[in-house]
C-alpha cells in the first residue's frame, strides 16, 4: 500500500491505496471525479489527460503514488462557479464534440497548449500538438477551431488586463 | 497490473540499495513504457523505485563545450532547454518530436536510453554524438553501451545518472514515424565533430540502433546530402514487418540521412 497525499482542484486529499493504482482510477474511484475518462487504457487516446503541477499528462499512465505531493487539476477544477472556462465555452460554441467522450481530455490538452504557446498559435501547431488526443467521431476540424478561438480570447483577455 | 510496492528515494545510493535489496524490483523513470507494459502484465516488478525525485539525476549543464544531461530530464525539458537549442539544436528537436506532448512531460532521456527500444529516438543521438553514459558505478561509451534489442551494458541494480557529450559543430535528426505508434520506422542522427562524422540509425536495424559506416565515410569526405547519393544501403539485417519491408526501410534510411544533413 502507498500513502498518497496531493491537492486536487485546490482540495487537499490523502488516501492509502495500492501501489499499482493508476492516477486515473484514483481520481474516478477514490475521489469520484468521473470527468476524467479512460478510453483506450493503452496510453494512446488522451481521454484521461489531467494537469499535474500545471503540465498535461495521461493519468492512465501515471501511478497515484507518483502523483503524491503534486497539484492536480481535472476538468472539474477548470472553472469555478457557473461560468465555463474559455476553452469549454469555445468547444460549445464551435460544436467541438460529437459523442463527447474524448472532450474532457481534449479540453485539458488544449488548455495546456494555449498556456505553453502564450498566444502564438496557428492551425498547424494546434493539429501537431493534439497528436496525443484521439477523437473517434473524427471531429477535429471543429476542435481546432475551438482551440484557436479560445486562444484568441484568452490572449485578448491577457492583453486587456495589462 | 499486478500489485507492486512503490518507493521514492532521494539519492542514487538509496535507489541502488532498494534495487539490490529486491531482486524483482525495477527502476521507474517517466513510466511511459514501463507502466503500459505492466498494465498488459508483460512486466510484474515486485517493487518500483521512482527515480524522478533524485536531485543528482536532474538538469542540463554546459561545462565548456561538454553538455551534461541528467537521466531524469524529461523530453519536454530537453526540447525546451535554451542551452541545448543553442549548443545542440538537433537534440532539442529530436526530443520535441518524441511521442506526444503528454508523453514528453513524463518520459525521460535516461528511461529511453535504459530501455533501448529498437525504434526509440534517443539511442541514435547517443551513438552519433559519441556520448558517454554515466551510471551509478562507471562511465560507458555509447559504442559499448547499446548491445541489442532492449539490451544494454547496464548490470542489474545499475542506474543511469547522466549522459554527456561534446557539443557538435553540426548535428540533426530526421525520422519517418509510424503514423499510429509515432515510433521511428527509420530515424537517422548525423553529427560532425571536426573531421569526424558519425551517423546512427534507429527504428530499422533488426539488432537495434547501429552506425552506418559507409555514410560516415562519404560525409567525412563531403558534408552534403549529395554525398550520400553514391552510398548503397543494404537491406540485410534490417527489420521486415507489417509496417515496412526491409527494402523500404533501407530506402528510408538514405532519405532520412539526407534530410538530417540538410537540416544540420
Amino acid at each position: 500500500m502507498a500513502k498518497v497525499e496531493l491537492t486536487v482542484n485546490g482540495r487537499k486529499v490523502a488516501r492509502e491505496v495500492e501501489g499499482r493504482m493508476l492516477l486515473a482510477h484514483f481520481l474516478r474511484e477514490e475521489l469520484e471525479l468521473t470527468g476524467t475518462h479512460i478510453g483506450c487504457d493503452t496510453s494512446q487516446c488522451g481521454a484521461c489527460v489531467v494537469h499535474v503541477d500545471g503540465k498535461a499528462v495521461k493519468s492512465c499512465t501515471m501511478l497515484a503514488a507518483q502523483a503524491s505531493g503534486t497539484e492536480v487539476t481535472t476538468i472539474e477544477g477548470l472553472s469555478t462557479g457557473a461560468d465555463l472556462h474559455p476553452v469549454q465555452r469555445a468547444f460549445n460554441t464551435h460544436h467541438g464534440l460529437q459523442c463527447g467522450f474524448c472532450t474532457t481530455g481534449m479540453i485539458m490538452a488544449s488548455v495546456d497548449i494555449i498556456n505553453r504557446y502564450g498566444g502564438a498559435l496557428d492551425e498547424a501547431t494546434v493539429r501537431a500538438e493534439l497528436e496525443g488526443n484521439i477523437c473517434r467521431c473524427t471531429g477535429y476540424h471543429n476542435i481546432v477551431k475551438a482551440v484557436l478561438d479560445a486562444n484568441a480570447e484568452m490572449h485578448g483577455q491577457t492583453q486587456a488586463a495589462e | 497490473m499486478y500489485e507492486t510496492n512503490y518507493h521514492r528515494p532521494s539519492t542514487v545510493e538509496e535507489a541502488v540499495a532498494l534495487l539490490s535489496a529486491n531482486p524483482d524490483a525495477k527502476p521507474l523513470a517517466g513510466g511511459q513504457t514501463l507502466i503500459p507494459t505492466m498494465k498488459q502484465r508483460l512486466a510484474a516488478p515486485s517493487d518500483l523505485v521512482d527515480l524522478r525525485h533524485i536531485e543528482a539525476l536532474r538538469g542540463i549543464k554546459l561545462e565548456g563545450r561538454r553538455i551534461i544531461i541528467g537521466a531524469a530530464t524529461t523530453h519536454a525539458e530537453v526540447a525546451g532547454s535554451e542551452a541545448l537549442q543553442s549548443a545542440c539544436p538537433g537534440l532539442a528537436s529530436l526530443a520535441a518530436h518524441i511521442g506526444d506532448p503528454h508523453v514528453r512531460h513524463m518520459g525521460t532521456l535516461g528511461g529511453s536510453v535504459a530501455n533501448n527500444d529498437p525504434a526509440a529516438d534517443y539511442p541514435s543521438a547517443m551513438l552519433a554524438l559519441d556520448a558517454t553514459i554515466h551510471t551509478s558505478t562507471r562511465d560507458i561509451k555509447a559504442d559499448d553501451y547499446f548491445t541489442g534489442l532492449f539490451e544494454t551494458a547496464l548490470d542489474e541494480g545499475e542506474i543511469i545518472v547522466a549522459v554527456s557529450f561534446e557539443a557538435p559543430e553540426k548535428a540533426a535528426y530526421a525520422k519517418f514515424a509510424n503514423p499510429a505508434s509515432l515510433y521511428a520506422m527509420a530515424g537517422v542522427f548525423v553529427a560532425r565533430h571536426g573531421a569526424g562524422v558519425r551517423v546512427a540509425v534507429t527504428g530499422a536495424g533488426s539488432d537495434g540502433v547501429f552506425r552506418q559506416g559507409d555514410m560516415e565515410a562519404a560525409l567525412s569526405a563531403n558534408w552534403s546530402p549529395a554525398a550520400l547519393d553514391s552510398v548503397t544501403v543494404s537491406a540485410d539485417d534490417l527489420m521486415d514487418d507489417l509496417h515496412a519491408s526491409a527494402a523500404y526501410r533501407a530506402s528510408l534510411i538514405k532519405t532520412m540521412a539526407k534530410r538530417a544533413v540538410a537540416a544540420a
Side-chain angles (χ1 to χ4, degrees), chain A:
Chain A
M1 300 294 278
K3 188 158 174 87
V4 175
E5 293 180 327
L6 69 171
T7 304
V8 179
N9 300 332
R11 186 165 65 98
K12 284 193 188 315
V13 296
R15 294 284 191 285
E16 190 90 15
V17 300
E18 289 189 331
R20 64 180 162 178
M21 178 173 265
L22 298 168
L23 178 58
H25 291 141
F26 182 86
L27 295 169
R28 290 178 56 84
E29 293 165 20
E30 292 289 327
L31 306 183
E32 299 185 348
L33 293 172
T34 53
T36 297
H37 293 169
I38 299 173
C40 67
D41 207 24
T42 54
S43 316
Q44 298 182 55
C45 79
C48 66
V49 168
V50 301
H51 296 181
V52 174
D53 287 337
K55 292 181 178 134
V57 303
K58 290 173 178 168
S59 63
C60 86
T61 313
M62 181 177 195
L63 299 172
Q66 281 178 288
S68 192
T70 67
E71 292 199 11
V72 173
T73 304
T74 70
I75 189 77
E76 290 92 342
L78 210 49
S79 67
T80 51
D83 291 336
L84 292 175
H85 184 280
V87 177
Q88 291 173 307
R89 200 161 54 238
F91 269 65
N92 186 359
T93 304
H94 291 278
H95 194 56
L97 59 142
Q98 290 182 41
C99 84
F101 194 88
C102 73
T103 308
T104 55
M106 283 284 180
I107 288 175
M108 296 311 287
S110 300
V111 172
D112 176 68
I113 295 166
I114 292 169
N115 288 345
R116 278 188 288 118
Y117 279 83
L121 269 182
D122 56 22
E123 183 185 336
T125 306
V126 173
R127 288 184 183 277
E129 288 283 341
L130 285 174
E131 183 69 67
N133 293 78
I134 296 173
C135 168
R136 291 296 77 174
C137 305
T138 66
Y140 296 103
H141 286 305
N142 287 350
I143 289 170
V144 173
K145 278 185 208 162
V147 177
L148 288 170
D149 194 27
N151 177 63
E153 187 190 336
M154 289 166 73
H155 191 52
Q157 280 176 343
T158 306
Q159 286 179 324
E162 281 170 356

Side-chain angles (χ1 to χ4, degrees), chain B residues 91-141:
Chain B
L91 189 69
S93 169
L94 174 151
H97 294 94
I98 297 172
D100 59 53
H102 324 312
V103 168
R104 294 194 288 271
H105 280 146
M106 287 295 288
T108 68
L109 185 155
S112 172
V113 170
N115 191 45
N116 192 20
D117 187 305
D121 301 303
Y122 272 125
S124 65
M126 296 299 104
L127 208 47
L129 289 165
D130 195 16
T132 301
I133 317 295
H134 305 277
T135 79
S136 47
T137 55
R138 58 191 167 139
D139 297 338
I140 312 171
K141 297 294 289 178

Side-chain angles (χ1 to χ4, degrees), chain B residues 55-122:
Chain B
E55 198 51 41
L57 267 60
R58 300 204 67 92
I60 298 167
K61 279 182 294 193
L62 216 61
E63 290 179 2
R65 292 292 292 165
R66 191 105 192 139
I67 298 166
I68 304 154
I69 307 176
T73 308
T74 65
H75 309 326
E77 288 164 346
V78 170
S81 160
E82 285 179 17
L84 278 175
Q85 283 166 3
S86 154
C88 188
L91 189 69
S93 169
L94 174 151
H97 294 94
I98 297 172
D100 59 53
H102 324 312
V103 168
R104 294 194 288 271
H105 280 146
M106 287 295 288
T108 68
L109 185 155
S112 172
V113 170
N115 191 45
N116 192 20
D117 187 305
D121 301 303
Y122 272 125

Side-chain angles (χ1 to χ4, degrees), chain B residues 8-15 50-61 68-73 77 159-162:
Chain B
R8 186 182 286 189
S10 51
T11 65
V12 172
E13 294 72 25
E14 209 184 322
D50 189 345
L51 305 178
R52 294 184 314 137
H53 300 270
I54 301 173
E55 198 51 41
L57 267 60
R58 300 204 67 92
I60 298 167
K61 279 182 294 193
I68 304 154
I69 307 176
T73 308
E77 288 164 346
I159 60 173
I160 302 174
V161 175

